[in-house]
Amino acid sequence: MVAVLAREPAAQAHDPVPASGPGARIDIRNVSHAFGDGDKRLEVLDDVNLTVAPGEFVALLGPSGCGKSTLLRLVAGLDAPSSGQILQDGTPIENPDPSRIVVFQDPTLYPWRRVWDNVALGLQARGIVKRERHRVDDALRRVGLEAFDRAFPHQLSGGMAQRVALARALVNDPQLLVLDEPLGKLDSLTRLAMQSDLVELWQRAGFSALLVTHDVEEALFLAQRVIVFSDRPAKIRAELKVDLPYPRHRGDPRLTALRHEALRLLGLDASW
């Protein structure tokens, strides 16, 4: 069976998942979140329950503005949930941590720093860049940019700049990569190529990955599970299990069937 659609994934959210590899286990337990107070209070997340197993790649789909990126910020430790709890390997997430690295839609590179120095930022902040220089070189090799280590950001294409952002994340050997539309601003051909590159990096490094995307095909191509959210305040509407081997082929009829199901859940299947 290629896909298993679970209408009530929250009921299975706390099933034991054995820890293995360098990836983190993330438990999102009864998480709700809101902005503002009183009449201006805006409910964003409503009792979300989800587990990401160590080394698993999970994608989040849902209507624009439903709260997906807010959930990523909570997992990253950038904000605290209004209620509920998020844990990494059994420990509550309360602050940002180098084991959880966020990659945003914009590369956010410092224009006055060369590629090597942009990638080294995390190690520099921790005061270990001098003795760990090899990690910067290794990260650049992993994204295929070792020949551009002395270039400035303005000399790079959009895809190359996003590769630098990925290298800057990978240099910290993260247990969890939090991906907030990281390929959203790339042209279509570059985006397709980088999807394959991202899968390869994930398989090689073994980190857990939590991705927000508005691209249904991208979610199904990359992830092992796709979580579909409702309109705001976001609830988990369904879970699609993408039980297909890597590398995946975009023309696979099973991916096409999953795509139709995801679009149906999002209310966008009328024209397909």
Side-chain angles (χ1 to χ4, degrees):
M1 185 139 180
V2 174
V4 177
L5 179 62
R7 296 291 177 181
E8 298 179 355
Q12 302 174 10
H14 309 315
D15 290 347
V17 180
S20 60
R25 171 180 169 131
I26 302 297
D27 288 297
I28 301 168
R29 298 180 176 175
N30 305 112
V31 166
S32 296
H33 195 66
F35 297 112
D37 296 302
D39 294 339
K40 295 184 178 180
R41 185 177 175 84
L42 179 65
E43 301 288 344
V44 180
L45 299 170
D46 184 10
D47 195 30
V48 175
N49 287 272
L50 177 66
T51 287
V52 178
E56 187 179 20
F57 201 128
V58 176
L60 309 181
L61 281 176
S64 181
C66 74
K68 304 181 300 297
S69 292
T70 296
L71 182 60
L72 289 195
R73 289 184 61 85
L74 301 181
V75 170
L78 299 173
D79 292 311
S82 300
S83 63
Q85 195 175 36
I86 304 177
L87 303 98
Q88 176 176 331
D89 297 325
T91 301
I93 293 174
E94 298 176 345
N95 296 292
D97 189 88
S99 66
R100 300 183 303 277
I101 302 296
V102 185
V103 179
F104 294 104
Q105 189 175 82
D106 291 306
T108 60
L109 305 179
Y110 288 110
W112 60 87
R113 296 179 68 116
R114 297 181 188 273
V115 164
W116 197 97
D117 297 305
N118 267 286
V119 173
L121 276 171
L123 301 183
Q124 186 180 52
R126 293 156 61 189
I128 60 173
V129 69
K130 286 186 178 180
R131 74 169 186 266
E132 299 289 343
R133 292 180 61 88
H134 65 281
R135 288 169 59 175
V136 181
D137 298 329
D138 180 61
L140 285 169
R141 278 194 296 271
R142 288 161 76 180
V143 300
L145 287 179
E146 62 270 31
F148 292 86
D149 62 335
R150 302 300 297 163
F152 286 101
H154 74 269
Q155 298 172 311
L156 307 176
S157 67
M160 293 168 72
Q162 198 60 292
R163 287 174 189 270
V164 176
L166 283 171
R168 185 176 57 192
L170 294 172
V171 77
N172 294 287
D173 293 326
Q175 293 178 283
L176 174 70
L177 210 55
V178 180
L179 302 160
D180 193 0
E181 287 274 6
L183 311 181
K185 289 192 173 181
L186 301 179
D187 66 85
S188 58
L189 293 179
T190 302
R191 185 167 185 163
L192 293 177
M194 285 205 64
Q195 287 170 3
S196 297
D197 293 340
L198 186 54
V199 167
E200 184 180 343
L201 288 170
W202 163 67
Q203 289 183 306
R204 190 185 309 156
F207 51 76
S208 305
L210 190 60
L211 166 75
V212 160
T213 179
H214 288 98
D215 188 322
V216 172
E217 290 184 354
E218 181 170 271
L220 295 170
F221 184 77
L222 293 174
Q224 296 167 301
R225 280 191 298 147
V226 176
I227 309 301
V228 183
F229 283 94
S230 67
D231 285 313
R232 189 179 65 239
K235 295 182 178 182
I236 293 180
R237 184 175 180 187
E239 173 186 305
L240 292 171
K241 186 175 181 182
V242 191
D243 193 12
L244 292 170
Y246 296 93
R248 292 173 178 168
H249 300 281
R250 300 178 194 276
D252 192 315
R254 295 171 291 178
L255 275 182
T256 301
L258 283 168
R259 177 178 171 229
H260 283 203
E261 178 62 13
L263 289 170
R264 185 188 68 78
L265 289 163
L266 294 167
L268 300 171
D269 61 326
S271 60
W272 294 91

